Amino acid sequence: EAWEEGKREGKRELLCKLIQKKIQKGKTTAEIAEDLEEPEEVIAEILQDSNCSLSKYYKRGGSRNLHKK
């Protein structure tokens, strides 16, 4: 059980880092979701997670790079 929890946390941390890189490149949430083969809802959830240090790249409801095309 602890092993599975660690795997989930590790995957989320990796996704957070990958999302951060893609935001820096100006990708939208839809593009990020497609690139990472994850649902947009997962990407949006990670973007809103205060444990994911994306706050300097993403402002809730405001980043022009993150709007759907």
Side-chain angles (χ1 to χ4, degrees), residues 11-39:
K11 179 182 178 184
R12 190 170 182 89
E13 186 176 319
L14 176 61
L15 280 173
C16 181
K17 288 178 183 180
L18 292 172
I19 290 168
Q20 186 177 40
K21 288 179 183 180
K22 291 185 180 296
I23 288 171
Q24 289 174 327
K25 291 179 180 182
K27 299 249 182 174
T28 65
T29 51
E31 291 169 330
I32 293 169
E34 185 175 328
D35 288 351
L36 299 179
E37 298 181 4
E38 292 286 342

PDB file of all heavy atoms in Angstrom, residues 11-39:
ATOM      1  N   LYS A  11       4.643   9.837  -9.780  1.00  0.00           N
ATOM      2  CA  LYS A  11       4.065  10.143 -11.087  1.00  0.00           C
ATOM      3  C   LYS A  11       3.554  11.579 -11.113  1.00  0.00           C
ATOM      4  O   LYS A  11       3.781  12.308 -12.072  1.00  0.00           O
ATOM      5  CB  LYS A  11       2.920   9.183 -11.418  1.00  0.00           C
ATOM      6  CG  LYS A  11       2.284   9.485 -12.759  1.00  0.00           C
ATOM      7  CD  LYS A  11       1.123   8.584 -13.084  1.00  0.00           C
ATOM      8  CE  LYS A  11       0.526   9.008 -14.418  1.00  0.00           C
ATOM      9  NZ  LYS A  11      -0.655   8.253 -14.776  1.00  0.00           N
ATOM     10  N   ARG A  12       2.893  11.986 -10.043  1.00  0.00           N
ATOM     11  CA  ARG A  12       2.357  13.343  -9.977  1.00  0.00           C
ATOM     12  C   ARG A  12       3.492  14.375  -9.994  1.00  0.00           C
ATOM     13  O   ARG A  12       3.397  15.399 -10.659  1.00  0.00           O
ATOM     14  CB  ARG A  12       1.496  13.498  -8.725  1.00  0.00           C
ATOM     15  CG  ARG A  12       0.719  14.785  -8.706  1.00  0.00           C
ATOM     16  CD  ARG A  12      -0.289  14.750  -7.564  1.00  0.00           C
ATOM     17  NE  ARG A  12      -1.082  15.932  -7.539  1.00  0.00           N
ATOM     18  CZ  ARG A  12      -2.221  16.105  -8.187  1.00  0.00           C
ATOM     19  NH1 ARG A  12      -2.722  15.121  -8.875  1.00  0.00           N
ATOM     20  NH2 ARG A  12      -2.881  17.229  -8.118  1.00  0.00           N
ATOM     21  N   GLU A  13       4.572  14.093  -9.278  1.00  0.00           N
ATOM     22  CA  GLU A  13       5.717  15.005  -9.254  1.00  0.00           C
ATOM     23  C   GLU A  13       6.335  15.116 -10.650  1.00  0.00           C
ATOM     24  O   GLU A  13       6.679  16.203 -11.104  1.00  0.00           O
ATOM     25  CB  GLU A  13       6.758  14.503  -8.251  1.00  0.00           C
ATOM     26  CG  GLU A  13       7.910  15.456  -8.065  1.00  0.00           C
ATOM     27  CD  GLU A  13       8.871  14.982  -6.992  1.00  0.00           C
ATOM     28  OE1 GLU A  13       8.413  14.493  -5.948  1.00  0.00           O
ATOM     29  OE2 GLU A  13      10.089  15.105  -7.216  1.00  0.00           O
ATOM     30  N   LEU A  14       6.464  13.981 -11.344  1.00  0.00           N
ATOM     31  CA  LEU A  14       6.994  13.990 -12.701  1.00  0.00           C
ATOM     32  C   LEU A  14       6.081  14.791 -13.629  1.00  0.00           C
ATOM     33  O   LEU A  14       6.555  15.623 -14.411  1.00  0.00           O
ATOM     34  CB  LEU A  14       7.155  12.558 -13.227  1.00  0.00           C
ATOM     35  CG  LEU A  14       7.609  12.444 -14.676  1.00  0.00           C
ATOM     36  CD1 LEU A  14       8.971  13.086 -14.884  1.00  0.00           C
ATOM     37  CD2 LEU A  14       7.625  10.991 -15.111  1.00  0.00           C
ATOM     38  N   LEU A  15       4.779  14.562 -13.534  1.00  0.00           N
ATOM     39  CA  LEU A  15       3.833  15.317 -14.359  1.00  0.00           C
ATOM     40  C   LEU A  15       3.952  16.815 -14.082  1.00  0.00           C
ATOM     41  O   LEU A  15       3.923  17.623 -15.005  1.00  0.00           O
ATOM     42  CB  LEU A  15       2.396  14.854 -14.106  1.00  0.00           C
ATOM     43  CG  LEU A  15       1.966  13.582 -14.822  1.00  0.00           C
ATOM     44  CD1 LEU A  15       0.584  13.153 -14.350  1.00  0.00           C
ATOM     45  CD2 LEU A  15       1.975  13.764 -16.317  1.00  0.00           C
ATOM     46  N   CYS A  16       4.096  17.176 -12.826  1.00  0.00           N
ATOM     47  CA  CYS A  16       4.234  18.583 -12.451  1.00  0.00           C
ATOM     48  C   CYS A  16       5.447  19.196 -13.152  1.00  0.00           C
ATOM     49  O   CYS A  16       5.361  20.278 -13.732  1.00  0.00           O
ATOM     50  CB  CYS A  16       4.363  18.692 -10.934  1.00  0.00           C
ATOM     51  SG  CYS A  16       4.503  20.390 -10.347  1.00  0.00           S
ATOM     52  N   LYS A  17       6.567  18.504 -13.140  1.00  0.00           N
ATOM     53  CA  LYS A  17       7.783  19.019 -13.775  1.00  0.00           C
ATOM     54  C   LYS A  17       7.619  19.117 -15.285  1.00  0.00           C
ATOM     55  O   LYS A  17       8.053  20.096 -15.903  1.00  0.00           O
ATOM     56  CB  LYS A  17       8.973  18.123 -13.424  1.00  0.00           C
ATOM     57  CG  LYS A  17       9.403  18.274 -11.987  1.00  0.00           C
ATOM     58  CD  LYS A  17      10.547  17.348 -11.650  1.00  0.00           C
ATOM     59  CE  LYS A  17      10.892  17.476 -10.173  1.00  0.00           C
ATOM     60  NZ  LYS A  17      12.004  16.594  -9.807  1.00  0.00           N
ATOM     61  N   LEU A  18       6.994  18.105 -15.881  1.00  0.00           N
ATOM     62  CA  LEU A  18       6.780  18.128 -17.327  1.00  0.00           C
ATOM     63  C   LEU A  18       5.823  19.250 -17.729  1.00  0.00           C
ATOM     64  O   LEU A  18       6.042  19.941 -18.727  1.00  0.00           O
ATOM     65  CB  LEU A  18       6.244  16.781 -17.802  1.00  0.00           C
ATOM     66  CG  LEU A  18       7.225  15.612 -17.708  1.00  0.00           C
ATOM     67  CD1 LEU A  18       6.513  14.300 -18.026  1.00  0.00           C
ATOM     68  CD2 LEU A  18       8.418  15.819 -18.605  1.00  0.00           C
ATOM     69  N   ILE A  19       4.775  19.439 -16.937  1.00  0.00           N
ATOM     70  CA  ILE A  19       3.810  20.514 -17.199  1.00  0.00           C
ATOM     71  C   ILE A  19       4.511  21.864 -17.110  1.00  0.00           C
ATOM     72  O   ILE A  19       4.307  22.743 -17.950  1.00  0.00           O
ATOM     73  CB  ILE A  19       2.614  20.428 -16.229  1.00  0.00           C
ATOM     74  CG1 ILE A  19       1.768  19.201 -16.560  1.00  0.00           C
ATOM     75  CG2 ILE A  19       1.778  21.702 -16.288  1.00  0.00           C
ATOM     76  CD1 ILE A  19       0.739  18.858 -15.496  1.00  0.00           C
ATOM     77  N   GLN A  20       5.350  22.026 -16.100  1.00  0.00           N
ATOM     78  CA  GLN A  20       6.086  23.284 -15.920  1.00  0.00           C
ATOM     79  C   GLN A  20       6.918  23.596 -17.174  1.00  0.00           C
ATOM     80  O   GLN A  20       6.899  24.717 -17.669  1.00  0.00           O
ATOM     81  CB  GLN A  20       6.986  23.175 -14.692  1.00  0.00           C
ATOM     82  CG  GLN A  20       7.681  24.445 -14.322  1.00  0.00           C
ATOM     83  CD  GLN A  20       8.495  24.278 -13.053  1.00  0.00           C
ATOM     84  OE1 GLN A  20       9.129  23.254 -12.842  1.00  0.00           O
ATOM     85  NE2 GLN A  20       8.467  25.285 -12.217  1.00  0.00           N
ATOM     86  N   LYS A  21       7.609  22.612 -17.703  1.00  0.00           N
ATOM     87  CA  LYS A  21       8.426  22.821 -18.903  1.00  0.00           C
ATOM     88  C   LYS A  21       7.561  23.205 -20.096  1.00  0.00           C
ATOM     89  O   LYS A  21       7.926  24.080 -20.885  1.00  0.00           O
ATOM     90  CB  LYS A  21       9.212  21.554 -19.229  1.00  0.00           C
ATOM     91  CG  LYS A  21      10.352  21.292 -18.271  1.00  0.00           C
ATOM     92  CD  LYS A  21      11.064  20.008 -18.631  1.00  0.00           C
ATOM     93  CE  LYS A  21      12.155  19.693 -17.636  1.00  0.00           C
ATOM     94  NZ  LYS A  21      12.864  18.449 -17.983  1.00  0.00           N
ATOM     95  N   LYS A  22       6.420  22.563 -20.223  1.00  0.00           N
ATOM     96  CA  LYS A  22       5.549  22.839 -21.364  1.00  0.00           C
ATOM     97  C   LYS A  22       4.897  24.214 -21.250  1.00  0.00           C
ATOM     98  O   LYS A  22       4.706  24.898 -22.255  1.00  0.00           O
ATOM     99  CB  LYS A  22       4.521  21.726 -21.523  1.00  0.00           C
ATOM    100  CG  LYS A  22       5.214  20.425 -21.966  1.00  0.00           C
ATOM    101  CD  LYS A  22       4.272  19.323 -22.246  1.00  0.00           C
ATOM    102  CE  LYS A  22       5.022  18.073 -22.674  1.00  0.00           C
ATOM    103  NZ  LYS A  22       5.753  18.223 -23.931  1.00  0.00           N
ATOM    104  N   ILE A  23       4.585  24.642 -20.039  1.00  0.00           N
ATOM    105  CA  ILE A  23       4.042  25.986 -19.836  1.00  0.00           C
ATOM    106  C   ILE A  23       5.077  27.028 -20.236  1.00  0.00           C
ATOM    107  O   ILE A  23       4.757  28.026 -20.877  1.00  0.00           O
ATOM    108  CB  ILE A  23       3.593  26.180 -18.372  1.00  0.00           C
ATOM    109  CG1 ILE A  23       2.328  25.370 -18.118  1.00  0.00           C
ATOM    110  CG2 ILE A  23       3.365  27.658 -18.070  1.00  0.00           C
ATOM    111  CD1 ILE A  23       1.926  25.327 -16.666  1.00  0.00           C
ATOM    112  N   GLN A  24       6.329  26.782 -19.871  1.00  0.00           N
ATOM    113  CA  GLN A  24       7.402  27.710 -20.231  1.00  0.00           C
ATOM    114  C   GLN A  24       7.545  27.830 -21.749  1.00  0.00           C
ATOM    115  O   GLN A  24       7.970  28.860 -22.248  1.00  0.00           O
ATOM    116  CB  GLN A  24       8.725  27.263 -19.618  1.00  0.00           C
ATOM    117  CG  GLN A  24       8.768  27.454 -18.122  1.00  0.00           C
ATOM    118  CD  GLN A  24      10.020  26.865 -17.491  1.00  0.00           C
ATOM    119  OE1 GLN A  24      10.556  25.862 -17.951  1.00  0.00           O
ATOM    120  NE2 GLN A  24      10.480  27.501 -16.438  1.00  0.00           N
ATOM    121  N   LYS A  25       7.173  26.792 -22.470  1.00  0.00           N
ATOM    122  CA  LYS A  25       7.226  26.805 -23.931  1.00  0.00           C
ATOM    123  C   LYS A  25       5.967  27.413 -24.537  1.00  0.00           C
ATOM    124  O   LYS A  25       5.842  27.496 -25.757  1.00  0.00           O
ATOM    125  CB  LYS A  25       7.413  25.380 -24.465  1.00  0.00           C
ATOM    126  CG  LYS A  25       8.783  24.819 -24.139  1.00  0.00           C
ATOM    127  CD  LYS A  25       8.922  23.415 -24.668  1.00  0.00           C
ATOM    128  CE  LYS A  25      10.296  22.871 -24.338  1.00  0.00           C
ATOM    129  NZ  LYS A  25      10.491  21.512 -24.870  1.00  0.00           N
ATOM    130  N   GLY A  26       5.011  27.813 -23.689  1.00  0.00           N
ATOM    131  CA  GLY A  26       3.807  28.473 -24.171  1.00  0.00           C
ATOM    132  C   GLY A  26       2.682  27.550 -24.597  1.00  0.00           C
ATOM    133  O   GLY A  26       1.769  27.972 -25.299  1.00  0.00           O
ATOM    134  N   LYS A  27       2.708  26.301 -24.166  1.00  0.00           N
ATOM    135  CA  LYS A  27       1.664  25.336 -24.536  1.00  0.00           C
ATOM    136  C   LYS A  27       0.380  25.600 -23.748  1.00  0.00           C
ATOM    137  O   LYS A  27       0.406  26.071 -22.623  1.00  0.00           O
ATOM    138  CB  LYS A  27       2.133  23.916 -24.245  1.00  0.00           C
ATOM    139  CG  LYS A  27       3.365  23.512 -25.016  1.00  0.00           C
ATOM    140  CD  LYS A  27       3.030  22.476 -26.019  1.00  0.00           C
ATOM    141  CE  LYS A  27       4.279  22.028 -26.760  1.00  0.00           C
ATOM    142  NZ  LYS A  27       3.988  20.932 -27.620  1.00  0.00           N
ATOM    143  N   THR A  28      -0.755  25.264 -24.373  1.00  0.00           N
ATOM    144  CA  THR A  28      -2.054  25.368 -23.707  1.00  0.00           C
ATOM    145  C   THR A  28      -2.307  24.092 -22.895  1.00  0.00           C
ATOM    146  O   THR A  28      -1.610  23.085 -23.084  1.00  0.00           O
ATOM    147  CB  THR A  28      -3.187  25.524 -24.734  1.00  0.00           C
ATOM    148  OG1 THR A  28      -3.259  24.331 -25.509  1.00  0.00           O
ATOM    149  CG2 THR A  28      -2.969  26.734 -25.629  1.00  0.00           C
ATOM    150  N   THR A  29      -3.310  24.121 -22.032  1.00  0.00           N
ATOM    151  CA  THR A  29      -3.649  22.916 -21.265  1.00  0.00           C
ATOM    152  C   THR A  29      -4.036  21.777 -22.203  1.00  0.00           C
ATOM    153  O   THR A  29      -3.672  20.633 -21.962  1.00  0.00           O
ATOM    154  CB  THR A  29      -4.794  23.166 -20.264  1.00  0.00           C
ATOM    155  OG1 THR A  29      -5.878  23.774 -20.929  1.00  0.00           O
ATOM    156  CG2 THR A  29      -4.341  24.029 -19.119  1.00  0.00           C
ATOM    157  N   ALA A  30      -4.755  22.092 -23.275  1.00  0.00           N
ATOM    158  CA  ALA A  30      -5.145  21.061 -24.233  1.00  0.00           C
ATOM    159  C   ALA A  30      -3.921  20.444 -24.900  1.00  0.00           C
ATOM    160  O   ALA A  30      -3.836  19.220 -25.059  1.00  0.00           O
ATOM    161  CB  ALA A  30      -6.089  21.642 -25.286  1.00  0.00           C
ATOM    162  N   GLU A  31      -2.960  21.276 -25.272  1.00  0.00           N
ATOM    163  CA  GLU A  31      -1.735  20.772 -25.902  1.00  0.00           C
ATOM    164  C   GLU A  31      -0.916  19.929 -24.921  1.00  0.00           C
ATOM    165  O   GLU A  31      -0.372  18.889 -25.287  1.00  0.00           O
ATOM    166  CB  GLU A  31      -0.885  21.932 -26.424  1.00  0.00           C
ATOM    167  CG  GLU A  31      -1.505  22.648 -27.590  1.00  0.00           C
ATOM    168  CD  GLU A  31      -0.813  23.943 -27.940  1.00  0.00           C
ATOM    169  OE1 GLU A  31      -0.240  24.601 -27.040  1.00  0.00           O
ATOM    170  OE2 GLU A  31      -0.869  24.318 -29.123  1.00  0.00           O
ATOM    171  N   ILE A  32      -0.850  20.396 -23.684  1.00  0.00           N
ATOM    172  CA  ILE A  32      -0.111  19.651 -22.655  1.00  0.00           C
ATOM    173  C   ILE A  32      -0.761  18.297 -22.435  1.00  0.00           C
ATOM    174  O   ILE A  32      -0.079  17.272 -22.376  1.00  0.00           O
ATOM    175  CB  ILE A  32      -0.042  20.462 -21.341  1.00  0.00           C
ATOM    176  CG1 ILE A  32       0.812  21.715 -21.533  1.00  0.00           C
ATOM    177  CG2 ILE A  32       0.522  19.598 -20.210  1.00  0.00           C
ATOM    178  CD1 ILE A  32       0.727  22.705 -20.384  1.00  0.00           C
ATOM    179  N   ALA A  33      -2.070  18.282 -22.310  1.00  0.00           N
ATOM    180  CA  ALA A  33      -2.793  17.025 -22.099  1.00  0.00           C
ATOM    181  C   ALA A  33      -2.536  16.056 -23.255  1.00  0.00           C
ATOM    182  O   ALA A  33      -2.283  14.868 -23.032  1.00  0.00           O
ATOM    183  CB  ALA A  33      -4.291  17.297 -21.950  1.00  0.00           C
ATOM    184  N   GLU A  34      -2.570  16.566 -24.464  1.00  0.00           N
ATOM    185  CA  GLU A  34      -2.324  15.708 -25.620  1.00  0.00           C
ATOM    186  C   GLU A  34      -0.884  15.193 -25.619  1.00  0.00           C
ATOM    187  O   GLU A  34      -0.642  14.004 -25.818  1.00  0.00           O
ATOM    188  CB  GLU A  34      -2.607  16.478 -26.912  1.00  0.00           C
ATOM    189  CG  GLU A  34      -2.483  15.612 -28.143  1.00  0.00           C
ATOM    190  CD  GLU A  34      -2.876  16.347 -29.410  1.00  0.00           C
ATOM    191  OE1 GLU A  34      -3.758  17.221 -29.353  1.00  0.00           O
ATOM    192  OE2 GLU A  34      -2.282  16.035 -30.453  1.00  0.00           O
ATOM    193  N   ASP A  35       0.072  16.086 -25.372  1.00  0.00           N
ATOM    194  CA  ASP A  35       1.487  15.692 -25.350  1.00  0.00           C
ATOM    195  C   ASP A  35       1.765  14.617 -24.302  1.00  0.00           C
ATOM    196  O   ASP A  35       2.522  13.683 -24.542  1.00  0.00           O
ATOM    197  CB  ASP A  35       2.391  16.890 -25.053  1.00  0.00           C
ATOM    198  CG  ASP A  35       2.486  17.879 -26.209  1.00  0.00           C
ATOM    199  OD1 ASP A  35       1.995  17.569 -27.319  1.00  0.00           O
ATOM    200  OD2 ASP A  35       3.060  18.965 -25.992  1.00  0.00           O
ATOM    201  N   LEU A  36       1.171  14.784 -23.123  1.00  0.00           N
ATOM    202  CA  LEU A  36       1.440  13.868 -22.014  1.00  0.00           C
ATOM    203  C   LEU A  36       0.476  12.686 -21.972  1.00  0.00           C
ATOM    204  O   LEU A  36       0.585  11.824 -21.090  1.00  0.00           O
ATOM    205  CB  LEU A  36       1.392  14.633 -20.684  1.00  0.00           C
ATOM    206  CG  LEU A  36       2.416  15.757 -20.540  1.00  0.00           C
ATOM    207  CD1 LEU A  36       2.239  16.456 -19.199  1.00  0.00           C
ATOM    208  CD2 LEU A  36       3.828  15.238 -20.701  1.00  0.00           C
ATOM    209  N   GLU A  37      -0.474  12.677 -22.905  1.00  0.00           N
ATOM    210  CA  GLU A  37      -1.479  11.611 -22.971  1.00  0.00           C
ATOM    211  C   GLU A  37      -2.210  11.434 -21.649  1.00  0.00           C
ATOM    212  O   GLU A  37      -2.388  10.327 -21.150  1.00  0.00           O
ATOM    213  CB  GLU A  37      -0.833  10.303 -23.442  1.00  0.00           C
ATOM    214  CG  GLU A  37      -0.244  10.408 -24.835  1.00  0.00           C
ATOM    215  CD  GLU A  37       0.377   9.127 -25.346  1.00  0.00           C
ATOM    216  OE1 GLU A  37       0.306   8.089 -24.658  1.00  0.00           O
ATOM    217  OE2 GLU A  37       0.941   9.171 -26.456  1.00  0.00           O
ATOM    218  N   GLU A  38      -2.622  12.570 -21.103  1.00  0.00           N
ATOM    219  CA  GLU A  38      -3.400  12.615 -19.862  1.00  0.00           C
ATOM    220  C   GLU A  38      -4.652  13.437 -20.130  1.00  0.00           C
ATOM    221  O   GLU A  38      -4.630  14.347 -20.965  1.00  0.00           O
ATOM    222  CB  GLU A  38      -2.606  13.285 -18.731  1.00  0.00           C
ATOM    223  CG  GLU A  38      -1.402  12.520 -18.243  1.00  0.00           C
ATOM    224  CD  GLU A  38      -1.764  11.304 -17.403  1.00  0.00           C
ATOM    225  OE1 GLU A  38      -2.904  11.224 -16.907  1.00  0.00           O
ATOM    226  OE2 GLU A  38      -0.896  10.441 -17.248  1.00  0.00           O
ATOM    227  N   PRO A  39      -5.741  13.148 -19.430  1.00  0.00           N
ATOM    228  CA  PRO A  39      -6.950  13.973 -19.592  1.00  0.00           C
ATOM    229  C   PRO A  39      -6.691  15.424 -19.151  1.00  0.00           C
ATOM    230  O   PRO A  39      -5.894  15.672 -18.246  1.00  0.00           O
ATOM    231  CB  PRO A  39      -7.969  13.318 -18.657  1.00  0.00           C
ATOM    232  CG  PRO A  39      -7.426  11.969 -18.353  1.00  0.00           C
ATOM    233  CD  PRO A  39      -5.938  12.058 -18.492  1.00  0.00           C
TER     234      PRO A  39
END
